[in-house]
Amino acid sequence: MAPILDVTDLRTVFHAEGKTIPAVDGVSFHIDKGETLCLVGESGSGKSVTSLSVMRLIPPPGEYAGGKILFEGEDLLRKTEKEMCAIRGNRIAMIYQEPMTSLNPLFTVGMQLRETLRKHQRLSAREAQARAVEMLGLVGIPDPGQRIREFPWQMSGGMRQRVMIAMGLCCRPRLLIADEPTTALDVTIQAQILDLMRRLKRELDMTILFITHDLGVVAEMADRVAVMYAGRIVEEAPVRVLFAKPRHPYTRGLMDCIPDPGRPRGQLHVISGVVPAPDRYPTGCRFHPRCPYARPLCAEEAPPMRKLGASSAACHFPLGTEAAS
Ligand code: SF4
């Protein structure tokens, strides 16, 4: 089966102060129909620029410097802006971390849902109203016929995120890109929203690209995981394989950072240092200044992506192999 989204060697750069800064630097991944791929990594690793690149929403001074983004076999990098407008919202939808940055506080949620439906689906006012109420019900908003008249600021954070999901799904997109959609929510609401997304994925037969820095969310949501670091994918694996046998030291480091109630107090693991800025990537393996397993070769040569059973990892000395010992 051909993947619904197939990204190959994507390069997205920004131009600033006479420099060309590679925010996404040769990223390749695919998502099969009906699958949830989680793109995981620390802030600044290039996850959001990757998702915005797929939507072709990179503003100047950013530009696409190479690669292909095949969505249902069509290269999105070759589409005109008019063609992309017909794809965004309709065939690919995106939901964001903070609903208040996407919902207009001056209009009721009903007006905003109807506007989206009329623009993308050319529904009549009556049809759009009926579909908007149906969508609010589908995402678990009680009494949707009433609440459709409310403004976003009259709703709680969890309800606003449900409205955002309704907006994203109202045109029944084939691919949903969810960029940290639960990060701003408290844990109980987060669990409800993740449950909701899993249910809607099943009911609407959706494919999801889920961006997160939270490995707990990855364990809940992912079929497969791509780990991103400093503008590149460094490991990719089915979720069970990744958690059972991480191959890249960065993935291992992220897992060690998950709080463990069994660990004595004061022993929270951290990965030393920070993700380098895109204009200061180190030579060789970009993780080498922070890697506890680094050897001289790591600073000299960038490791290629290598297949290791069900996983792939870009590391000269992948964990669990003879090379690491
Ligand atoms: Fe660590 Fe070297 Fe592997 Fe990079 S290539 S992750 S520095 S062991």
Side-chain angles (χ1 to χ4, degrees), residues 248-249 285 287-288 291 293-295 298 303 315-317:
H248 197 282
C285 171
F287 187 54
H288 85 260
C291 180
Y293 305 92
R295 303 182 203 180
C298 303
C315 174
H316 290 303
F317 310 104

Side-chain angles (χ1 to χ4, degrees), residues 4 23 33 78 115 120 149 201 203 205 245 293 309:
I4 192 166
K33 188 172 181 308
R78 293 180 177 274
E115 170 68 15
H120 291 292
R149 300 198 185 102
K201 180 187 170 226
E203 287 176 9
D205 193 22
K245 202 169 186 180
Y293 305 92

